[in-house]
Amino acid sequence: MAQASVTRSSSADWQPVMTGRLKNGVRFAILPRRGGEPGIGVLMRNEGGFIEERRPGERGLTHLIEHLVFTSPTINAPDELRHFPKVGLPLTFPAPSAATTSWRESNYFVSTRTTRMTDLDTLLGLFREVATDLTFRADAVDDQRADVTSEMAEKTLGNDIYARYIAAVAPGSPTDVIDAQNSDDVPTASIATIRALYQRLYQPENMMIVIVGNIDPVKTKALIREHFGSWRHAGQATAHVAVPALQSDRIAPISVAALPQGRRTALMTVVMPTAPPLPTRGQQIDAMLLEMLVVRAVDTRLSAMQPDSPPGKVGLYIENGEQGHRLIMLWDNFVGNAWHPAIAGLARVRCALDSGGFSDQEWDAAQRDLIQDLDRRTSAMGQVQNVELAKDLSHAFAAGRALIPPSALLRRAQTRLPAIDAQAGNHWWRQQWRAGVRHVRVESPDLAPMAGDGSALRTSIAEASKTGCDGL
């Protein structure tokens, strides 16, 4: 019998979220909602991404398996290429993407055309079939080898830019040490090697089913149990690779990138290990509200320094652990070769916030903007796609966090914001910025002529960062 728990939400659109785990380890999360769609969002998540490609000859094979889920015949349909779409497409809306693989998991997701339980029954049967019964027929595998290799080749430049940035600002974290876009073994891996990785990762304790839409959660849980409850672990228990840890002592104060096709940006960051989730839903909501306020107040300060710049040229971004670390970033996407004033401007803002903090006017404006934004998001809750909510719910469930609806944030903000003054924001900023390791990075193709004298360039960047406080 599955064990389940219910998280209450009194929002108009989201009903109570039901979560649980079957006896065999399969987790499930069900979010009933009315929404504005005719059907249901269905997602299957496998906890086995690039990090699990630890044996020789496996690089890129989790991504290849992601493709094969939609193209390989199955044991019950051994002569049918593209078995999943042939059966499932008449029941679902086509989408530009129906799956993703990251360093930590693969996700498969579809949107149904109706809310009929018979359609959901069929789709859950398909998901179970591809989770356990792919045959990896040679022609299907060979066809997808080329697709995966081509897809990765198209992303080489962007991946290279991002990888170099992470290697500088967050060395040792998963997205630094895992070469996630390496598909070197895809063209030559034997079917036996591909099947062995599939059988190692696609086990019940690694699987999660998430369903969002206008459904009966009790009947939906019964369908999940019907299709996945009989699944038994094959072989030995999966020994997951330990998640790499951020190596703060390897973060240098300054880094530079001068790729010919790279971006022009100045970045001032502080990085720290990912914090565990706060224990209660209320604490998580309060933390989210405070971060939202700080982001708005800092964005206001940055924009005021460059009133004629377009939106998005400067800003603050917070990465909350999805890539294996927590990161707070000030950025300026400068034009031309204006990296020096960009760095100096970011440094002035950071130093001013360290010493003087937010003004009451900035904080009041951030509170008003946050209330207005949450009010808009609450009004638009019915337009959020079921599949997008299913993705958010899967990430939250996997991380041990609650999925907080905008309406709950709005209700909390309306009662709590009067008590959250600028001093609370100042304390948060100083505490967070001093909790990690600081780093300044400049990226510009125009820096290439200076690459031969890296020390002189770093000295110039350090000078630009000195604004009367503690420099970097």
Side-chain angles (χ1 to χ4, degrees), residues 116-138:
R116 291 182 304 205
M117 295 300 285
T118 54
D119 295 343
L120 180 58
D121 184 26
T122 300
L123 286 168
L124 287 174
L126 281 173
F127 274 123
R128 165 62 195 274
E129 198 171 1
V130 299
T132 60
D133 295 339
L134 295 183
T135 64
F136 299 101
R137 206 171 78 183

Side-chain angles (χ1 to χ4, degrees), residues 29-43:
I30 303 166
L31 170 55
R33 66 185 294 245
R34 290 192 295 273
E37 293 184 56
I40 305 165
V42 186
L43 179 146

